[in-house]
Amino acid sequence: MIFLDAKIYTANTNSPDAEAMAVSQGRILAVGKNEQILHYQGPSTRMLSLEGRRVMPGLIDAHSHAIFAGLAALAPNLEDQELSPLELAQQLQTWLAEKESGPDVPMVVFGVNPAVWSAPESLSALLDAGAWQHQAVLLMGADYHTAWANQVMREKAGIDAAYVQSLPAKSRHTVGVASNGQPDGVLVDAGLDKVTVILL
């Protein structure tokens, strides 16, 4: 089949637009000007003028965080800023003061730079003490694959040493563990899912 008289976006920076394309058995053979593509015409070729219509490649997103992206637009969001644990805690304290719901509703902060997970003990010292002893907190990584949950949040989700021990060896990496065998709050993929299922 040959499509003519179109506005075809090719995604080729050297030649981003074409007006015709030849297709055979579901595969694009060539794109170019009408006269170039007519060379592909054979006795059984069907011709179709698109009359100036736009043709785009199929956009296939095999990996999406649409729900999280929507929630991130409505919640506190650090937008991947590089902050120290202390700076992070100070910002969270500001948001906590503005929070309208009570301590029974977890505080979820999106867009946290995952570099902060490298010091989970510092996060625990700041966010498992004081007012945070009664306020569940989930720091959602900007990558949507990693997070850190404070002690209250981990208790809500049932993430403790016994839970970690119950995990098959191939899944142990999904929950960070301190030297004493207790979860340190770092969660990866399936470990994060254990928390998000109680939030959504």
Side-chain angles (χ1 to χ4, degrees):
M1 190 164 190
I2 289 179
F3 298 90
L4 301 165
D5 311 314
K7 295 176 182 172
I8 302 169
Y9 176 69
T10 68
N12 180 339
T13 54
N14 295 325
S15 179
D17 295 299
E19 59 184 2
M21 68 177 169
V23 177
S24 177
Q25 297 180 2
R27 299 179 80 82
I28 297 173
L29 299 176
V31 295
K33 296 195 175 298
N34 283 340
E35 56 271 16
Q36 294 172 309
I37 301 306
L38 285 171
H39 291 297
Y40 288 86
Q41 184 177 6
S44 61
T45 302
R46 291 175 49 212
M47 310 288 283
L48 178 64
S49 172
L50 294 182
E51 300 174 348
R53 291 185 179 93
R54 172 65 68 185
V55 177
M56 297 280 291
L59 303 176
I60 300 170
D61 184 356
H63 186 100
S64 175
H65 295 283
I67 293 174
F68 281 149
L71 293 172
L74 302 172
N77 195 322
L78 289 169
E79 298 180 354
D80 206 25
Q81 292 179 65
E82 292 186 21
L83 301 175
S84 69
L86 180 58
E87 291 169 325
L88 175 61
Q90 290 170 341
Q91 178 59 66
L92 264 60
Q93 194 66 48
T94 300
W95 282 326
L96 182 63
E98 298 169 354
K99 186 173 178 276
E100 295 178 2
S101 54
D104 54 317
V105 177
M107 181 177 184
V108 182
V109 178
F110 287 86
V112 180
N113 188 298
V116 77
W117 316 152
S118 64
E121 66 286 346
S122 298
L123 291 173
S124 291
L126 294 163
L127 299 175
D128 283 330
W132 302 106
Q133 293 179 78
H134 307 290
Q135 176 62 62
V137 179
L138 178 67
L139 306 178
M140 180 70 72
D143 58 3
Y144 297 119
H145 287 270
T146 59
W148 183 86
N150 75 344
Q151 180 67 37
V152 181
M153 187 77 247
R154 295 194 303 272
E155 287 173 3
K156 282 182 176 290
I159 299 174
D160 55 17
Y163 170 72
V164 173
Q165 288 301 314
S166 74
L167 291 171
K170 66 180 182 179
S171 300
R172 295 261 172 96
H173 71 281
T174 64
V175 178
V177 177
S179 57
N180 63 3
Q182 294 293 327
D184 63 10
V186 177
L187 304 170
V188 179
D189 289 327
L192 174 55
D193 292 344
K194 179 89 169 143
V195 173
T196 56
V197 293
I198 66 173
L199 296 174
L200 301 176

